[in-house]
Amino acid sequence: MSAGFVGVVVSDPSLQGQFTQVELRSLKAKFVSLKRDSGHVTTKNLPGLMKKLRGLNEVVSEEEIAAFLSESYPDSDQEIEFESFLREYLNLQARVSAKEGGGGSAGGGGGKTSFLKSSITTLLHNINQAEKSSYVAHINTYLRYDPFLKKYLPIDPAGNQLFDLIRDGVLLCKLINVAVPGTIDERAINKKRVLNPWQRNENHTLCLNSAKAIGCTVVNIGTQDLVEGRPHLVLGLISQIIKIQLLADLNLKKTPQLVELFDDSKDIDEVLSLSPEKMLLRWMNHHLKKAGYKKTVNNFSSDVKDGEAYAYLLKALAPEHSPETTLDTKDPDERAKLILEQAEKLDCKRYLTPTDITEGSANLNLAFVAQIFQHRNGLTSDTKQVTLTQTATRDDVLLSREERAFRMWINSLGVESYVNNVFEDVRNGWVLLEVLDKVSPGSVNWKLATKPPIKMPFRKLENCNQVIKIGKQLKFSLVNLAGNDIVQGNKKLIVALLWQLMRFNILQLLNKLRFHSQGSQGKEITDADILNWANSKVKASGRTSRMESFKDKSLSNGLFFLELLSAVQPRVVNWKVVTKGEADEDKKLNATYIISVARKLGCSVFLLPEDIIEVNQKMILTLTASIMYWSLQKQPQSLSEMPEQSDPSSMASDAASDVGSEDGASTIAPSESEEVNSLSDGISNLTMDDATSNAPSTENGNVVAES
């Protein structure tokens, strides 16, 4: 299991990106076994195998699978290759999802196809007219008076106007800023009435990289999907953005009163690790219990269909608007109407209709409950109760910002697990093994790993020990780190490990570009190479700025990075909006602009303006490296022009000790193999031609296979 093993490679990058290496290896093993036993794989013998696969077992019959396959392969004896098998598996999953109506599988609460899992992927997101109407209403409400968009709004929910408006990229960028204000610098959005193809592409690249930076999972969406306005992908992305907005206050930082939901003995870290959805369920059940409701609500689908839970919830929170007749009503449709009438009196925007309640539309019911929480959470404002969340030290704040950075990075990789809190979610070792499998395919021995939920503590330790073992094989500095430190949640040591994973990934990607250009010869790229490359690039453009190190305090005004971005792509920086960076406010304006310009160019970065202003060494390195990676992808010949460096310095030793970061991080996500491009790493969504060319930019991949 050497670190150089590339795992299962699929020739189509867009297809490869739909699966983790774990899934690919499992599917390949099953496929090869069937081929070995039967001689070849056809529509005759494949249904039996597909019936057992995740998402299909107990949902479709072998006869239905055979009928589906016959649409593509009328000749039942025609041989099916592995990649065709993967495509048919995805298409069949999509068909099943559409048949179930998307949210129908949420009822189980903890199943693999539960709402919480499906909500973070857009692959199988079928078109749901009720959801579409709800999202259009949301957009009309929050963006109706936007100076640029007001001439296009309100959108008619009945037609295709939404998908037409998406094509220029402005609407989604604005929606991201509604969800998390300040994410995108408006000065970086191309907002002409008529945009040419590369201007549209830049907007969509900015949108997708910014969506990742607020926690969306977009590994299955490319800029071309947005240009074409593909409905199921557009709605999938919009649903994630809106959900992030609606659940923004469901954490102890924003709403410290949430500690009321937990016993004093509860470990605060465990509270912090709850996903917003689980926190919302905890809040709902807290009030339902006080109101005398006997059941526990485990999901926003089957458990709320009859409307009883809503009737009790509104009675607890707004008794003045909740007559007894709501509970006495036997007809679920009539009860649902009464519930929405009561909710209107609380000024809750109506994300759903009575039918959406009775049919258990998971996304819309979650939005509805989140609205109730925002308008009346019914929690105490007792100051004694909330002091627990307000005693964080400066170190805690720094670690919290680091946690955010790593969370966004891990979730952008396309791993199967979704991380809600890094420090809690990595403690069983599984997520770290998934990350290692992405960063160094083939390095993980999955036979020795245990997948959650893990009841036996020693299994968690086994996972974490394997993480440490692989880290040492990858030459990480792990002198003070043992598997048990991860199990126990040692935050500083976990941050040190994750930072080295990021840095390894960046240097690995740069090395792959160099080796592809120069064969397998040449020494590996170091931090000093990245520094020298940036300085030489700025100098070659005729400017005089220079950075002495990644800790150079002169970088705080942002001018060096704007000159670097302009050097690699002259048209991407509008110098009319750049300040001199002397006052603090001017520095922040420049830093905010740098981040959006880098994302617009195609860099997947997770840092915040504070990282540039305060010259956070780690974040400065990753920002510079991501710009370098984009530039070298665009012009491979420039690899041979990289300056030689005589002092092969490295930050590996600093990585273990320098764990304090100001907020966020920027990084590049890995590819599954040397040939796989930005579908899984999301770094460069477009390949530009000559800097002065107006020709349309083309995708490097990142396009989902059509269902």
Side-chain angles (χ1 to χ4, degrees), residues 492-559:
K492 289 193 174 184
L493 294 178
I494 288 170
V495 161
L497 172 64
L498 284 169
W499 160 238
Q500 290 185 81
L501 270 169
M502 276 186 174
R503 182 179 168 279
F504 169 82
N505 178 214
I506 293 166
L507 296 179
Q508 175 198 49
L509 287 168
L510 289 169
N511 281 318
K512 283 180 180 178
L513 284 182
R514 164 178 272 187
F515 294 155
H516 277 305
S517 173
Q518 302 175 351
S520 58
Q521 303 303 311
K523 61 186 178 183
E524 296 201 347
I525 291 173
T526 65
D527 304 336
D529 284 319
I530 298 170
L531 181 77
N532 291 344
W533 173 85
N535 281 327
S536 66
K537 205 73 182 169
V538 170
K539 185 178 180 180
S541 71
R543 301 190 181 264
T544 57
S545 292
R546 177 177 177 79
M547 68 169 161
E548 299 302 324
S549 72
F550 296 114
K551 295 187 284 189
D552 188 339
K553 293 300 180 186
S554 70
L555 297 173
S556 67
N557 63 20
L559 295 177

Coordinates of all heavy atoms in Angstrom, one line a residue, residues 492-559:
K492 N -5.0 21.5 19.3 CA -3.7 22.1 18.7 C -3.0 21.0 17.9 O -2.5 21.3 16.8 CB -2.8 22.6 19.8 CG -3.4 23.9 20.4 CD -2.3 24.6 21.3 CE -2.8 25.9 21.8 NZ -1.8 26.7 22.5
L493 N -3.0 19.8 18.3 CA -2.3 18.8 17.6 C -3.1 18.3 16.3 O -2.5 18.0 15.3 CB -2.0 17.6 18.5 CG -1.0 17.8 19.6 CD1 -0.8 16.6 20.5 CD2 0.4 18.3 19.1
I494 N -4.4 18.4 16.4 CA -5.2 18.0 15.3 C -5.0 19.1 14.2 O -4.9 18.8 13.0 CB -6.7 17.9 15.7 CG1 -6.9 16.6 16.5 CG2 -7.6 18.0 14.4 CD1 -8.3 16.5 17.1
V495 N -5.0 20.4 14.6 CA -4.7 21.5 13.7 C -3.4 21.3 13.0 O -3.2 21.5 11.8 CB -4.8 22.8 14.4 CG1 -4.2 23.9 13.6 CG2 -6.3 23.2 14.6
A496 N -2.4 20.9 13.8 CA -1.0 20.7 13.2 C -1.0 19.7 12.1 O -0.4 19.8 11.1 CB 0.0 20.4 14.3
L497 N -1.8 18.6 12.4 CA -1.8 17.5 11.5 C -2.6 17.9 10.2 O -2.1 17.7 9.1 CB -2.6 16.3 12.1 CG -2.9 15.1 11.2 CD1 -1.6 14.5 10.6 CD2 -3.7 14.1 11.9
L498 N -3.7 18.6 10.4 CA -4.5 19.0 9.2 C -3.7 20.0 8.3 O -3.8 20.0 7.1 CB -5.8 19.5 9.6 CG -6.8 18.4 10.0 CD1 -8.0 19.0 10.7 CD2 -7.3 17.6 8.9
W499 N -3.0 20.9 9.0 CA -2.2 21.9 8.2 C -1.2 21.2 7.4 O -1.0 21.5 6.2 CB -1.6 22.9 9.2 CG -0.4 23.6 8.5 CD1 0.8 23.6 9.0 CD2 -0.4 24.4 7.3 NE1 1.6 24.4 8.1 CE2 0.8 24.8 7.1 CE3 -1.4 24.7 6.4 CZ2 1.2 25.6 6.0 CZ3 -1.1 25.5 5.3 CH2 0.2 25.9 5.1
Q500 N -0.6 20.1 7.9 CA 0.4 19.4 7.1 C -0.2 18.7 6.0 O 0.4 18.5 4.9 CB 1.2 18.5 8.0 CG 2.1 19.2 9.0 CD 3.0 18.3 9.8 OE1 4.0 17.8 9.3 NE2 2.6 18.0 11.0
L501 N -1.4 18.2 6.2 CA -2.2 17.5 5.1 C -2.4 18.5 4.0 O -2.2 18.2 2.8 CB -3.5 17.0 5.6 CG -3.5 15.5 6.1 CD1 -4.8 15.3 6.9 CD2 -3.3 14.5 5.0
M502 N -2.9 19.7 4.3 CA -3.1 20.8 3.3 C -1.8 21.1 2.5 O -1.8 21.1 1.3 CB -3.6 22.0 4.0 CG -5.0 22.1 4.3 SD -5.4 23.8 4.9 CE -7.1 23.7 5.0
R503 N -0.8 21.3 3.3 CA 0.5 21.7 2.7 C 1.0 20.6 1.8 O 1.5 20.9 0.7 CB 1.5 22.1 3.7 CG 2.8 22.6 3.2 CD 3.8 23.0 4.3 NE 5.1 23.2 3.8 CZ 5.9 22.2 3.6 NH1 5.6 20.9 3.8 NH2 7.1 22.4 3.1
F504 N 1.0 19.4 2.2 CA 1.4 18.2 1.4 C 0.6 18.2 0.1 O 1.2 18.0 -1.0 CB 1.2 16.9 2.2 CG 1.4 15.7 1.4 CD1 2.6 15.1 1.2 CD2 0.3 15.0 0.8 CE1 2.8 14.0 0.4 CE2 0.4 13.9 0.1 CZ 1.7 13.4 -0.1
N505 N -0.7 18.4 0.2 CA -1.5 18.4 -0.9 C -1.1 19.4 -2.0 O -1.1 19.2 -3.2 CB -3.0 18.5 -0.5 CG -4.0 18.6 -1.6 OD1 -5.0 19.3 -1.5 ND2 -3.7 17.8 -2.6
I506 N -0.9 20.6 -1.5 CA -0.5 21.7 -2.4 C 0.8 21.4 -3.1 O 0.9 21.5 -4.3 CB -0.4 23.0 -1.6 CG1 -1.7 23.5 -1.0 CG2 0.2 24.1 -2.4 CD1 -1.6 24.5 0.0
L507 N 1.8 21.0 -2.3 CA 3.1 20.8 -3.0 C 3.0 19.6 -3.9 O 3.7 19.5 -4.9 CB 4.2 20.5 -1.9 CG 4.5 21.7 -0.9 CD1 5.5 21.3 0.1 CD2 4.9 22.9 -1.7
Q508 N 2.2 18.6 -3.5 CA 2.0 17.4 -4.4 C 1.4 17.8 -5.7 O 1.9 17.3 -6.8 CB 1.1 16.4 -3.6 CG 0.7 15.2 -4.4 CD -0.6 14.5 -3.8 OE1 -1.5 15.2 -3.6 NE2 -0.5 13.2 -3.6
L509 N 0.4 18.6 -5.7 CA -0.2 19.1 -7.0 C 0.8 19.9 -7.8 O 0.8 19.7 -9.1 CB -1.5 19.9 -6.7 CG -2.7 19.1 -6.2 CD1 -3.7 20.1 -5.6 CD2 -3.3 18.3 -7.3
L510 N 1.5 20.7 -7.2 CA 2.5 21.5 -8.0 C 3.6 20.6 -8.6 O 4.0 20.7 -9.7 CB 3.2 22.6 -7.1 CG 2.2 23.7 -6.7 CD1 2.9 24.6 -5.6 CD2 1.9 24.6 -7.9
N511 N 4.0 19.6 -7.8 CA 5.0 18.6 -8.3 C 4.5 17.8 -9.4 O 5.2 17.5 -10.4 CB 5.4 17.7 -7.1 CG 6.4 18.3 -6.2 OD1 7.4 19.0 -6.6 ND2 6.3 18.1 -4.9
K512 N 3.2 17.5 -9.4 CA 2.6 16.7 -10.5 C 2.7 17.5 -11.8 O 3.0 17.0 -12.9 CB 1.2 16.3 -10.2 CG 1.1 15.1 -9.2 CD -0.4 14.8 -8.9 CE -0.4 13.6 -8.0 NZ -1.8 13.2 -7.6
L513 N 2.4 18.8 -11.7 CA 2.5 19.7 -12.8 C 3.9 19.7 -13.4 O 4.1 19.6 -14.6 CB 2.0 21.1 -12.5 CG 0.5 21.3 -12.4 CD1 0.2 22.8 -12.1 CD2 -0.2 20.9 -13.6
R514 N 4.8 19.8 -12.5 CA 6.2 19.9 -12.9 C 6.7 18.6 -13.6 O 7.3 18.5 -14.6 CB 7.2 20.2 -11.7 CG 8.6 19.9 -12.0 CD 9.5 20.3 -10.8 NE 9.9 21.6 -10.9 CZ 10.8 22.2 -10.1 NH1 11.3 21.5 -9.1 NH2 11.1 23.5 -10.2
F515 N 6.3 17.4 -12.9 CA 6.7 16.1 -13.4 C 6.1 15.8 -14.8 O 6.7 15.2 -15.7 CB 6.4 15.0 -12.4 CG 7.2 15.1 -11.2 CD1 6.8 14.6 -10.0 CD2 8.4 15.8 -11.1 CE1 7.5 14.7 -8.8 CE2 9.2 15.9 -10.0 CZ 8.7 15.4 -8.8
H516 N 4.8 16.3 -14.9 CA 4.2 16.1 -16.2 C 4.9 16.9 -17.3 O 5.0 16.5 -18.5 CB 2.7 16.5 -16.2 CG 1.8 15.5 -15.6 ND1 1.8 14.2 -16.2 CD2 0.9 15.5 -14.6 CE1 0.9 13.5 -15.5 NE2 0.4 14.2 -14.5
S517 N 5.4 18.0 -16.9 CA 6.1 18.9 -17.9 C 7.5 18.4 -18.2 O 8.0 18.5 -19.3 CB 6.1 20.3 -17.4 OG 6.9 21.2 -18.2
Q518 N 8.2 17.9 -17.2 CA 9.6 17.6 -17.4 C 9.9 16.1 -17.2 O 11.1 15.8 -17.0 CB 10.4 18.4 -16.3 CG 10.2 19.9 -16.4 CD 10.9 20.7 -15.3 OE1 11.4 20.1 -14.3 NE2 10.9 22.0 -15.4
G519 N 8.9 15.3 -17.3 CA 9.1 13.9 -17.0 C 9.3 13.7 -15.5 O 8.8 14.5 -14.7
S520 N 9.9 12.6 -15.1 CA 10.0 12.3 -13.7 C 11.3 12.9 -13.1 O 11.6 12.7 -11.9 CB 10.0 10.8 -13.5 OG 11.1 10.2 -14.2
Q521 N 12.0 13.7 -13.9 CA 13.2 14.3 -13.4 C 12.9 15.6 -12.6 O 11.9 16.2 -12.7 CB 14.2 14.6 -14.6 CG 14.5 13.4 -15.4 CD 15.1 12.3 -14.6 OE1 16.1 12.5 -13.9 NE2 14.6 11.1 -14.8
G522 N 13.9 16.0 -11.9 CA 13.8 17.3 -11.1 C 13.5 17.1 -9.7 O 12.8 16.2 -9.3
K523 N 13.9 18.1 -8.9 CA 13.7 18.0 -7.4 C 12.2 18.5 -7.1 O 11.6 19.1 -7.9 CB 14.7 18.8 -6.7 CG 14.7 20.3 -7.0 CD 15.8 21.0 -6.3 CE 15.8 22.4 -6.7 NZ 16.9 23.2 -6.1
E524 N 11.8 18.1 -6.0 CA 10.4 18.5 -5.6 C 10.3 19.9 -5.2 O 11.3 20.5 -4.7 CB 9.9 17.6 -4.4 CG 9.8 16.1 -4.8 CD 8.9 15.4 -3.9 OE1 8.5 15.9 -2.8 OE2 8.5 14.2 -4.2
I525 N 9.2 20.5 -5.5 CA 9.0 21.9 -5.2 C 8.9 22.2 -3.7 O 8.3 21.4 -3.0 CB 7.7 22.4 -5.9 CG1 7.9 22.4 -7.4 CG2 7.3 23.8 -5.4 CD1 6.6 22.7 -8.2
T526 N 9.5 23.2 -3.2 CA 9.5 23.6 -1.8 C 8.7 24.9 -1.6 O 8.4 25.6 -2.6 CB 10.9 23.7 -1.3 OG1 11.5 24.8 -1.9 CG2 11.7 22.4 -1.5
D527 N 8.6 25.3 -0.4 CA 8.0 26.6 -0.1 C 8.8 27.8 -0.7 O 8.2 28.7 -1.2 CB 7.9 26.8 1.5 CG 7.2 25.7 2.2 OD1 6.4 25.0 1.5 OD2 7.4 25.5 3.4
A528 N 10.1 27.6 -0.7 CA 10.9 28.7 -1.2 C 10.7 28.8 -2.7 O 10.8 29.9 -3.3 CB 12.4 28.4 -0.9
D529 N 10.4 27.7 -3.4 CA 10.1 27.8 -4.8 C 8.9 28.6 -5.1 O 8.8 29.4 -6.0 CB 9.9 26.4 -5.4 CG 11.2 25.6 -5.6 OD1 12.2 26.2 -6.0 OD2 11.2 24.4 -5.3
I530 N 7.9 28.4 -4.2 CA 6.6 29.1 -4.4 C 6.9 30.6 -4.2 O 6.4 31.5 -4.9 CB 5.6 28.6 -3.4 CG1 5.3 27.1 -3.6 CG2 4.3 29.5 -3.4 CD1 4.5 26.5 -2.5
L531 N 7.7 31.0 -3.2 CA 8.0 32.4 -2.9 C 8.8 33.0 -4.1 O 8.4 34.1 -4.5 CB 8.9 32.4 -1.6 CG 9.3 33.8 -1.1 CD1 8.2 34.5 -0.4 CD2 10.5 33.7 -0.2
N532 N 9.8 32.3 -4.6 CA 10.6 32.8 -5.7 C 9.7 32.9 -7.0 O 9.9 33.9 -7.7 CB 11.8 31.9 -5.9 CG 12.8 31.9 -4.8 OD1 12.8 32.8 -4.0 ND2 13.7 30.9 -4.7
W533 N 8.9 32.0 -7.2 CA 8.0 32.0 -8.4 C 7.1 33.3 -8.3 O 7.0 34.0 -9.3 CB 7.1 30.8 -8.4 CG 6.0 30.9 -9.5 CD1 6.2 30.6 -10.8 CD2 4.7 31.4 -9.4 NE1 5.0 30.9 -11.5 CE2 4.1 31.4 -10.7 CE3 4.0 31.9 -8.3 CZ2 2.8 31.9 -10.9 CZ3 2.7 32.4 -8.5 CH2 2.1 32.3 -9.8
A534 N 6.5 33.6 -7.2 CA 5.6 34.7 -7.0 C 6.4 36.0 -7.3 O 6.0 36.9 -8.0 CB 5.0 34.8 -5.6
N535 N 7.6 36.1 -6.7 CA 8.4 37.3 -6.8 C 8.8 37.5 -8.3 O 8.8 38.6 -8.8 CB 9.7 37.3 -5.9 CG 9.3 37.6 -4.5 OD1 8.4 38.5 -4.2 ND2 10.0 37.0 -3.5
S536 N 9.2 36.4 -8.9 CA 9.7 36.5 -10.3 C 8.5 36.9 -11.3 O 8.7 37.6 -12.2 CB 10.4 35.2 -10.8 OG 9.4 34.2 -10.8
K537 N 7.3 36.4 -10.9 CA 6.2 36.7 -11.8 C 5.8 38.2 -11.7 O 5.5 38.8 -12.7 CB 5.0 35.8 -11.3 CG 3.9 35.6 -12.3 CD 4.4 34.6 -13.3 CE 3.4 34.3 -14.4 NZ 3.9 33.5 -15.5
V538 N 5.8 38.7 -10.5 CA 5.5 40.1 -10.3 C 6.6 41.0 -11.0 O 6.3 42.0 -11.7 CB 5.4 40.5 -8.8 CG1 5.3 42.0 -8.6 CG2 4.2 39.8 -8.2
K539 N 7.9 40.6 -10.8 CA 9.0 41.4 -11.4 C 8.9 41.4 -12.9 O 9.1 42.4 -13.6 CB 10.3 40.8 -10.9 CG 11.5 41.6 -11.4 CD 12.8 41.0 -10.9 CE 14.0 41.8 -11.3 NZ 15.3 41.2 -10.8
A540 N 8.5 40.2 -13.5 CA 8.4 40.1 -15.0 C 7.3 40.9 -15.5 O 7.3 41.3 -16.7 CB 8.2 38.6 -15.3
S541 N 6.3 41.3 -14.7 CA 5.2 42.1 -15.2 C 5.5 43.6 -15.1 O 4.7 44.4 -15.5 CB 4.0 41.8 -14.3 OG 4.1 42.4 -13.0
G542 N 6.8 43.9 -14.7 CA 7.2 45.3 -14.7 C 6.9 46.0 -13.4 O 7.1 47.3 -13.3
R543 N 6.5 45.3 -12.3 CA 6.3 46.0 -11.0 C 7.4 45.7 -10.0 O 8.2 44.8 -10.2 CB 4.9 45.5 -10.5 CG 3.8 45.8 -11.4 CD 2.4 45.5 -10.8 NE 1.3 45.8 -11.8 CZ 0.7 47.0 -11.8 NH1 1.0 48.0 -11.0 NH2 -0.3 47.1 -12.7
T544 N 7.4 46.5 -9.0 CA 8.6 46.4 -8.1 C 8.2 45.8 -6.7 O 9.1 45.6 -5.9 CB 9.1 47.8 -7.8 OG1 8.0 48.7 -7.3 CG2 9.6 48.5 -9.1
S545 N 7.0 45.4 -6.5 CA 6.6 44.8 -5.2 C 7.4 43.5 -5.0 O 7.7 42.8 -6.0 CB 5.1 44.5 -5.1 OG 4.4 45.7 -5.0
R546 N 7.6 43.1 -3.7 CA 8.3 41.9 -3.5 C 8.0 41.4 -2.1 O 7.7 42.2 -1.2 CB 9.8 42.2 -3.6 CG 10.7 41.0 -3.2 CD 12.2 41.3 -3.4 NE 13.0 40.2 -3.0 CZ 13.2 39.1 -3.7 NH1 12.7 39.0 -4.9 NH2 13.9 38.1 -3.3
M547 N 7.9 40.1 -1.9 CA 7.7 39.6 -0.5 C 9.0 38.9 0.0 O 9.5 38.0 -0.8 CB 6.4 38.8 -0.3 CG 6.4 37.4 -1.0 SD 4.9 36.5 -0.4 CE 4.8 35.3 -1.7
E548 N 9.4 39.2 1.1 CA 10.7 38.6 1.7 C 10.4 37.2 2.2 O 11.3 36.3 2.2 CB 11.3 39.5 2.7 CG 11.7 40.9 2.3 CD 12.7 40.8 1.1 OE1 13.5 39.9 1.1 OE2 12.6 41.6 0.2
S549 N 9.2 37.0 2.7 CA 8.8 35.7 3.3 C 7.3 35.6 3.4 O 6.6 36.6 3.1 CB 9.4 35.5 4.7 OG 8.7 36.3 5.6
F550 N 6.8 34.5 3.8 CA 5.3 34.4 3.9 C 4.8 35.1 5.2 O 3.6 35.2 5.5 CB 4.9 33.0 3.9 CG 5.1 32.3 2.6 CD1 6.0 31.2 2.5 CD2 4.5 32.7 1.5 CE1 6.3 30.6 1.3 CE2 4.7 32.1 0.3 CZ 5.6 31.0 0.2
K551 N 5.8 35.7 6.0 CA 5.5 36.4 7.2 C 5.7 37.9 7.0 O 5.7 38.7 8.0 CB 6.3 35.9 8.4 CG 6.0 34.5 8.8 CD 6.7 34.0 10.0 CE 8.2 33.8 9.8 NZ 8.8 33.1 11.0
D552 N 6.1 38.3 5.8 CA 6.4 39.7 5.5 C 5.3 40.6 5.8 O 4.2 40.6 5.1 CB 6.8 39.8 4.0 CG 7.4 41.2 3.6 OD1 7.1 42.1 4.4 OD2 8.1 41.3 2.6
K553 N 5.4 41.5 6.8 CA 4.3 42.4 7.2 C 3.9 43.4 6.1 O 2.8 43.9 6.2 CB 4.8 43.2 8.5 CG 5.0 42.3 9.7 CD 3.7 41.6 10.1 CE 3.8 40.7 11.3 NZ 2.6 39.9 11.6
S554 N 4.7 43.6 5.2 CA 4.3 44.6 4.1 C 3.2 44.0 3.2 O 2.6 44.7 2.5 CB 5.6 44.9 3.2 OG 5.9 43.8 2.4
L555 N 3.0 42.7 3.4 CA 1.9 42.1 2.6 C 0.5 42.5 3.1 O -0.5 42.3 2.4 CB 2.0 40.5 2.7 CG 3.3 39.9 2.1 CD1 3.3 38.4 2.4 CD2 3.4 40.1 0.6
S556 N 0.4 43.1 4.2 CA -0.9 43.4 4.8 C -1.7 44.4 4.0 O -2.9 44.4 4.1 CB -0.7 43.9 6.3 OG -0.1 45.2 6.3
N557 N -1.1 45.2 3.2 CA -1.9 46.1 2.4 C -2.5 45.5 1.1 O -3.3 46.1 0.4 CB -1.1 47.4 2.0 CG 0.1 47.1 1.1 OD1 0.2 46.0 0.4 ND2 1.1 48.0 1.0
G558 N -2.1 44.2 0.8 CA -2.7 43.5 -0.3 C -2.2 43.8 -1.6 O -2.5 43.1 -2.6
L559 N -1.3 44.8 -1.8 CA -0.9 45.2 -3.1 C -0.1 44.2 -3.9 O -0.2 44.0 -5.1 CB -0.1 46.5 -3.1 CG -1.0 47.8 -2.6 CD1 -0.1 49.0 -2.5 CD2 -2.2 48.0 -3.5

